[in-house]
Amino acid sequence: MKVPKVITTYCPKCKTHTEHSVSLYKGGKRRTLSEGQRRYDRKNIGYGSKRKPEQKRFAKTTKKQTLVLKCQKCGYTIMREGLRMKKIELVEVVK
Ligand SMILES: [Zn+2]
């Protein structure tokens, strides 16, 4: 799916439709010393221990994509979540 780089949509902060710049959401880096990660590592130590069974097959062929829309007036960001598509492409729209 082709997505324009600039979208005019509602901004809850400005309370009107404004231009938003579009980018793809990418997950942040995992912190190795966070409490959950330390707990997970502790559980994985030793013989015959995996926290959860290993996933052998995967049913879905696509991943859910999230678009990050940033208001160009106030800088407020909104997310468009859960769009399933094989291919996503940000395109410049010539007016
Ligand atoms: Zn705004």
Side-chain angles (χ1 to χ4, degrees), residues 9-20 70-77:
T9 190
Y10 183 74
C11 170
K13 208 177 176 190
C14 301
K15 290 181 178 169
T16 46
H17 277 65
T18 50
E19 285 199 331
H20 288 69
K70 190 173 186 187
C71 176
Q72 289 184 348
K73 260 191 184 161
C74 67
Y76 189 81
T77 53

Side-chain angles (χ1 to χ4, degrees), residues 2-89:
K2 283 180 180 168
V3 179
K5 275 183 180 168
V6 175
I7 286 179
T8 305
T9 190
Y10 183 74
C11 170
K13 208 177 176 190
C14 301
K15 290 181 178 169
T16 46
H17 277 65
T18 50
E19 285 199 331
H20 288 69
S21 59
V22 182
S23 59
L24 268 176
Y25 174 81
K26 288 216 174 87
K29 221 171 131 193
R30 292 302 193 96
R31 293 183 296 139
T32 52
L33 284 177
S34 64
E35 178 51 45
Q37 189 62 45
R38 280 182 280 151
R39 202 181 296 133
Y40 181 80
D41 289 344
R42 231 178 294 131
K43 189 112 189 193
N44 274 348
I45 291 173
Y47 175 74
S49 54
K50 264 248 151 98
R51 187 119 196 223
K52 280 179 179 163
E54 225 174 295
Q55 190 149 27
K56 295 273 163 57
R57 271 163 267 109
F58 206 74
K60 302 280 187 285
T61 56
T62 52
K63 256 194 159 177
K64 278 186 179 173
Q65 302 281 358
T66 302
L67 295 181
V68 181
L69 308 178
K70 190 173 186 187
C71 176
Q72 289 184 348
K73 260 191 184 161
C74 67
Y76 189 81
T77 53
I78 31 175
M79 306 276 196
R80 288 268 162 92
E81 278 184 275
L83 310 165
R84 281 200 184 275
M85 46 195 131
K86 275 210 163 139
K87 218 165 110 187
I88 183 162
E89 209 182 329

